[in-house]
């Protein structure tokens, strides 16, 4: 059985994944900012779920938490970099710089710091796995995606470049890029309005957190000689947008 670190573990993909991994007998170390949600999940899942309440964008607090984790659990088998968020849909020229910086700090900087802290031990043991949660927004631009899409494009390229650096080791790296997925706080956080968030998923059978978690579990349980480089998921209802063409008024 494996010891697995999940960031953003208190809800959405992270919580769904924690449930599936604990059910199969793994130990999950769940990192998230919301202590109350982590406590609820710990009560539900029992001793195999170990909560760590930490703001991933707080460098000092994150370093302290990671030191504690490594002391208590010297062998981390899998790191799932799940924590991330989108804020706003305004065009770049009208967007909030503060929101941009928050997305970069969460989606990129925190992910890099955690990976940097845990990867060397995996390499030293010649065993381990890093799974990053990207997004279709990192592949397909759309109006209002700007920095969010940019951060997820970074996640994809970072994973591929890690694979290049890890050639010759048995450490695996994968990126999972979901499309439209309901049952999470993603759109509510992004739009700041529950009704607007609900409208995003109206009359659409979107992916569920369990769908994404199941894919991650499959990657974790794949044969040790097989690396899943990149998996992109969409609901059948979603497809590729046509290129935008702006036409002048006649």
């Amino acid at each position: 059985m494996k010891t697995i670190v999940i960031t953003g573990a208190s809800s959405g993909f992270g919580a769904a994944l924690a449930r599936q991994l604990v059910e199969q007998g793994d130990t999950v170390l769940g990192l998230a900012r919301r202590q109350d949600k982590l406590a609820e999940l710990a009560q539900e899942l029992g001793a195999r779920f170990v909560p760590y309440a930490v703001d991933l964008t707080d460098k000092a607090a994150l370093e302290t938490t990671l030191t504690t984790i490594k002391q208590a659990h010297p062998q981390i088998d899998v790191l799932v970099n799940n924590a991330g968020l989108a804020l706003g849909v305004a065009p770049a020229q009208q967007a909030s710089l503060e929101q941009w910086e928050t997305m970069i700090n969460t989606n990129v900087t925190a992910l890099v710091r955690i990976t940097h802290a845990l990867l060397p031990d995996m390499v030293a043991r010649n065993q381990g796995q890093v799974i990053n949660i990207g997004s279709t927004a990192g592949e397909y631009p759309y109006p209002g995606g700007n920095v969010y899409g940019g951060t997820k494009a970074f996640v994809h390229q970072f994973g591929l470049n890690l694979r290049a650096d890890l050639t010759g080791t048995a450490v695996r790296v994968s990126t999972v890029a979901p499309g439209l997925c309901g049952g999470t706080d993603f759109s509510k956080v992004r739009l700041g309005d529950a009704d607007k968030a609900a409208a995003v998923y109206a009359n659409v059978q979107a992916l569920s957190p369990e769908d994404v978690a199941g894919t991650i579990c499959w990657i974790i349980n794949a044969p040790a000689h097989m690396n899943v480089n990149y998996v992109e998921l969409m609901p059948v209802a979603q497809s590729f947008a046509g290129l935008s063409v702006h036409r002048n008024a006649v």
Side-chain angles (χ1 to χ4, degrees), residues 11 15 36 50 55 68 73 75 79 83 85 119 139 151 155 164 188 197 205 211 222 233 237 241-242 247:
S11 63
D36 56 336
V50 185
D55 180 351
T68 300
H73 305 274
Q75 179 169 321
L79 166 62
L85 80 168
L119 183 61
E139 301 299 313
T151 63
V155 169
K188 185 177 179 180
Q205 185 174 359
D211 295 331
L233 309 173
R247 303 184 188 282

Side-chain angles (χ1 to χ4, degrees), residues 7 23 43 63 83 101-103 111 139 144 157 183 188 195 203 206 213 234 242:
T7 66
E23 184 176 358
Q43 185 173 13
E63 287 177 349
E101 290 173 339
T102 298
M103 287 186 279
L111 180 150
E139 301 299 313
Q157 283 299 313
K188 185 177 179 180
D195 291 337
N203 304 315
M234 283 184 180

Side-chain angles (χ1 to χ4, degrees), residues 97-230:
L97 178 59
E98 182 179 1
Q99 289 184 339
W100 278 9
E101 290 173 339
T102 298
M103 287 186 279
I104 292 167
N105 290 338
T106 305
N107 301 355
V108 175
T109 306
L111 180 150
V112 166
R113 285 174 177 159
I114 294 167
T115 304
H116 188 266
L118 299 183
L119 183 61
D121 289 337
M122 293 182 182
V123 174
R125 295 195 318 272
N126 199 34
Q127 182 182 8
Q129 199 169 13
V130 178
I131 302 174
N132 298 320
I133 306 305
S135 169
T136 55
E139 301 299 313
Y140 311 110
Y142 58 87
N146 45 69
V147 165
Y148 175 68
T151 63
K152 291 303 184 178
F154 172 87
V155 169
H156 185 188
Q157 283 299 313
F158 181 57
L160 294 177
N161 280 277
L162 284 178
R163 281 275 291 134
D165 286 344
L166 292 166
T167 299
T169 79
V171 179
R172 298 182 287 169
V173 182
S174 305
T175 298
V176 177
L180 187 68
C181 185
T184 76
D185 294 331
F186 177 83
S187 289
K188 185 177 179 180
V189 170
R190 184 175 204 174
L191 302 174
D193 183 284
D195 291 337
K196 289 180 180 178
V200 173
Y201 310 101
N203 304 315
V204 174
Q205 185 174 359
L207 297 175
S208 71
E210 290 72 26
D211 295 331
V212 178
T215 301
I216 299 168
C217 279
W218 168 71
I219 293 172
I220 290 172
N221 293 321
H225 69 276
M226 184 175 92
N227 193 91
V228 179
N229 294 329
Y230 179 78

